[in-house]
Amino acid sequence: MSSPDETPPAAEVGSLIRRSGRSSLGRWLKPTVTIALYVLVFYWIDAREISSTLKTAQFGIAGACVLLYMAGQAISTLKWRILLAPVDLSTPYLRLLGFYFTGMFFNLFLPTIVGGDAVKALLLARETGAPARATMSVFMERNTGLCALLLIALVAAYLAPPVRLYGVSLVALTWLLGAGYAAANIVLFSPQAYRIADRLIARSPLKRMRARAASLYEAAMPYTRAVGVLISSILLSIVFQFVVIGVVFLTARALSLSIPLTAAAVFVPLVSLAGMVPVSVNGLGVREALYILLFGRIGIPAELAVSLALLYFAVTVIASLPGGLVYALQKSPGSLAAEAAPDLH
């Protein structure tokens, strides 16, 4: 029988999934929301027309989209490896690539599109024995990706056809999201802002999280001295986000649907950001509703917008499947320190 330190990644990832099912939102809330959103979406549209549209898709283009999306994940893995250096971690690129695709695979089952990040952090922590630094590297991989998302969305908002959502322009919306992103990073990387936030947490029901927050804050500090790494990571993130935008654009072409590239450049980041909110399983339902809302503003019928969302989702699912094979073949990469004992080194 294995000792706790010898627990294979499969067991720990399984434990992670079980814990995610016991989240504060409740085990059944996210699936219920997902089903409710799909019921609402398909109540207002003609499902037979969607089926007919998908049957006429050019699957050669869709297959190229799968390969392009996988290449984008390889770029993101390179970015992740670069982000390991400031926290003194080092793992071979192919090993990280396996972790990345495993995370993509578990994104299909965990609550949001960032659920796989927890799996990546867990596997890297077992590989390195440094939980807090591993977690911080995954966070920074996502954090720099968000920066790229917002930069692209902001520029594209000025170039895209003028669109307003409930009276709010896309330019104003992206600036508002950017301000929230900046505020969160100021708290994370500014000692003064962190101390204020820490005092507020100490007086709240979240006070038990102070020790873990402190360890993650300490793990984040090396990045304040690694400007070159952050710039490189943001540039790679921009490349990756353009790959994703290109995948959506080509997926539309597979459906013989013509959409402005600038519109895709602002809509896709907004949909990605919304998918990170843990209200449904893997952003399902949210994605389709937003495709109707956003692409409808440029004259795309609801049935075509949902067809585009579903075909794009199929592309990401197929591109994620190799992660399941990697996971099945995964061997125990080393000990993982107990979650209650943060890495402060």
Side-chain angles (χ1 to χ4, degrees):
M1 183 177 294
S2 298
S3 68
D5 284 344
E6 295 170 343
T7 304
E12 295 201 8
V13 173
S15 175
L16 175 65
I17 296 171
R18 290 191 294 272
R19 290 198 302 272
S20 71
R22 295 192 297 265
S23 68
S24 59
L25 291 177
R27 176 177 297 180
W28 301 109
L29 181 57
K30 293 184 183 71
T32 300
V33 170
T34 303
I35 293 171
L37 286 170
Y38 268 115
V39 169
L40 287 173
V41 166
F42 283 93
Y43 177 78
W44 293 107
I45 62 177
D46 187 349
R48 289 173 298 182
E49 186 171 338
I50 292 175
S51 176
S52 298
T53 300
L54 292 175
K55 286 178 181 178
T56 62
Q58 300 177 53
F59 289 103
I61 296 178
C65 289
V66 171
L67 296 177
L68 184 59
Y69 191 83
M70 293 175 71
Q73 303 305 318
I75 293 171
S76 290
T77 303
L78 176 61
K79 179 184 72 169
W80 187 18
R81 191 164 191 267
I82 290 172
L83 286 166
L84 295 184
V87 289
D88 296 324
L89 296 179
S90 179
T91 300
Y93 174 80
L94 290 180
R95 187 73 165 162
L96 283 180
L97 186 64
F99 293 168
Y100 210 99
F101 272 89
T102 301
M104 288 172 58
F105 177 73
F106 278 96
N107 266 341
L108 302 177
F109 311 106
L110 294 177
T112 73
I113 62 174
V114 297
D117 286 356
V119 174
K120 292 189 297 183
L122 178 67
L123 294 174
L124 181 60
R126 282 190 55 83
E127 178 83 1
T128 62
R133 286 181 285 159
T135 300
M136 182 50 60
S137 73
V138 173
F139 169 80
M140 289 304 298
E141 195 269 327
R142 178 66 64 174
N143 194 29
T144 52
L146 280 173
C147 182
L149 268 176
L150 290 167
L151 289 173
I152 293 171
L154 186 58
V155 173
Y158 284 99
L159 300 175
V163 172
R164 300 182 73 86
L165 296 177
Y166 305 106
V168 180
S169 70
L170 287 185
V171 173
L173 180 59
T174 51
W175 272 112
L176 181 63
L177 292 172
Y181 171 84
N185 276 270
I186 288 172
V187 171
L188 180 63
F189 293 106
S190 167
Q192 295 82 4
Y194 173 77
R195 283 194 291 269
I196 294 172
D198 183 58
R199 285 196 292 268
L200 292 175
I201 292 173
R203 298 174 184 176
S204 75
L206 299 176
K207 59 184 178 181
R208 293 182 180 179
M209 300 295 295
R210 288 182 71 199
R212 179 60 59 86
S215 69
L216 292 176
Y217 172 73
E218 291 297 327
M221 285 301 97
Y223 289 105
T224 63
R225 303 182 294 273
V227 176
V229 167
L230 294 179
I231 292 175
S232 298
S233 299
I234 291 171
L235 291 176
L236 285 172
S237 294
I238 290 173
V239 173
F240 169 71
Q241 295 304 335
F242 274 119
V243 167
V244 174
I245 291 165
V247 168
V248 174
F249 183 76
L250 290 174
T251 301
R253 288 300 179 92
L255 296 172
S256 301
L257 179 61
S258 179
I259 59 175
L261 184 58
T262 52
V266 67
F267 294 165
V268 171
L270 290 176
V271 173
S272 296
L273 288 168
M276 295 176 191
V277 180
V279 296
S280 71
V281 177
N282 196 24
L284 295 173
V286 173
R287 182 187 302 108
E288 288 74 15
L290 284 175
Y291 268 59
I292 292 174
L293 180 64
L294 294 171
F295 286 99
R297 292 297 193 275
I298 58 172
I300 304 299
E303 287 78 8
L304 287 178
V306 173
S307 298
L308 175 58
L310 292 176
L311 185 56
Y312 170 71
F313 179 63
V315 166
T316 62
V317 168
I318 295 171
S320 302
L321 292 180
L325 179 61
V326 173
Y327 171 67
L329 299 175
Q330 187 72 241
K331 296 180 179 179
S332 178
S335 63
L336 171 64
E339 292 184 14
D343 166 46
L344 300 173
H345 303 295

mmCIF file of all heavy atoms in Angstrom, residues 33 46 100 114 137 151 156 183 344:
data_model
loop_
_atom_site.group_PDB
_atom_site.id
_atom_site.type_symbol
_atom_site.label_atom_id
_atom_site.label_comp_id
_atom_site.label_asym_id
_atom_site.label_seq_id
_atom_site.Cartn_x
_atom_site.Cartn_y
_atom_site.Cartn_z
ATOM 1 N N VAL A 33 -27.497 25.011 -13.272
ATOM 2 C CA VAL A 33 -27.409 26.266 -14.022
ATOM 3 C C VAL A 33 -27.091 25.985 -15.483
ATOM 4 O O VAL A 33 -27.656 26.604 -16.399
ATOM 5 C CB VAL A 33 -26.350 27.199 -13.397
ATOM 6 C CG1 VAL A 33 -26.076 28.398 -14.302
ATOM 7 C CG2 VAL A 33 -26.802 27.681 -12.025
ATOM 8 N N ASP A 46 -34.164 27.459 -33.146
ATOM 9 C CA ASP A 46 -34.586 26.252 -33.855
ATOM 10 C C ASP A 46 -33.440 25.240 -33.838
ATOM 11 O O ASP A 46 -32.454 25.385 -34.563
ATOM 12 C CB ASP A 46 -34.969 26.607 -35.285
ATOM 13 C CG ASP A 46 -35.573 25.425 -36.035
ATOM 14 O OD1 ASP A 46 -35.497 24.292 -35.524
ATOM 15 O OD2 ASP A 46 -36.118 25.640 -37.137
ATOM 16 N N TYR A 100 0.136 20.265 -18.999
ATOM 17 C CA TYR A 100 -0.769 21.253 -19.595
ATOM 18 C C TYR A 100 -1.946 20.569 -20.275
ATOM 19 O O TYR A 100 -3.105 20.972 -20.090
ATOM 20 C CB TYR A 100 -0.018 22.131 -20.599
ATOM 21 C CG TYR A 100 -0.580 23.514 -20.701
ATOM 22 C CD1 TYR A 100 -0.001 24.576 -20.019
ATOM 23 C CD2 TYR A 100 -1.719 23.775 -21.458
ATOM 24 C CE1 TYR A 100 -0.529 25.853 -20.088
ATOM 25 C CE2 TYR A 100 -2.251 25.049 -21.533
ATOM 26 C CZ TYR A 100 -1.656 26.078 -20.844
ATOM 27 O OH TYR A 100 -2.193 27.330 -20.909
ATOM 28 N N VAL A 114 -11.065 27.442 -15.924
ATOM 29 C CA VAL A 114 -9.777 27.490 -15.231
ATOM 30 C C VAL A 114 -9.664 26.347 -14.227
ATOM 31 O O VAL A 114 -8.708 26.289 -13.456
ATOM 32 C CB VAL A 114 -9.562 28.855 -14.510
ATOM 33 C CG1 VAL A 114 -9.510 29.977 -15.516
ATOM 34 C CG2 VAL A 114 -10.652 29.117 -13.476
ATOM 35 N N SER A 137 3.161 29.883 -10.122
ATOM 36 C CA SER A 137 3.544 29.855 -11.541
ATOM 37 C C SER A 137 2.326 29.633 -12.425
ATOM 38 O O SER A 137 2.198 30.245 -13.490
ATOM 39 C CB SER A 137 4.594 28.766 -11.790
ATOM 40 O OG SER A 137 4.032 27.467 -11.728
ATOM 41 N N LEU A 151 -5.805 43.413 -23.253
ATOM 42 C CA LEU A 151 -5.144 44.306 -24.205
ATOM 43 C C LEU A 151 -5.722 44.146 -25.608
ATOM 44 O O LEU A 151 -6.007 45.136 -26.297
ATOM 45 C CB LEU A 151 -3.630 44.036 -24.214
ATOM 46 C CG LEU A 151 -2.848 44.480 -22.976
ATOM 47 C CD1 LEU A 151 -1.405 43.995 -23.065
ATOM 48 C CD2 LEU A 151 -2.897 45.994 -22.822
ATOM 49 N N ALA A 156 -9.241 45.967 -29.978
ATOM 50 C CA ALA A 156 -10.253 45.523 -30.934
ATOM 51 C C ALA A 156 -11.572 46.256 -30.729
ATOM 52 O O ALA A 156 -12.325 46.466 -31.697
ATOM 53 C CB ALA A 156 -10.469 44.016 -30.802
ATOM 54 N N ALA A 183 -6.577 46.593 -10.466
ATOM 55 C CA ALA A 183 -6.751 46.708 -9.020
ATOM 56 C C ALA A 183 -6.348 45.411 -8.321
ATOM 57 O O ALA A 183 -5.670 45.433 -7.279
ATOM 58 C CB ALA A 183 -8.202 47.059 -8.703
ATOM 59 N N LEU A 344 7.406 28.252 1.583
ATOM 60 C CA LEU A 344 7.845 29.623 1.775
ATOM 61 C C LEU A 344 9.268 29.854 1.307
ATOM 62 O O LEU A 344 9.862 30.884 1.583
ATOM 63 C CB LEU A 344 7.716 30.030 3.251
ATOM 64 C CG LEU A 344 6.298 29.974 3.829
ATOM 65 C CD1 LEU A 344 6.341 30.242 5.317
ATOM 66 C CD2 LEU A 344 5.378 30.935 3.140
#
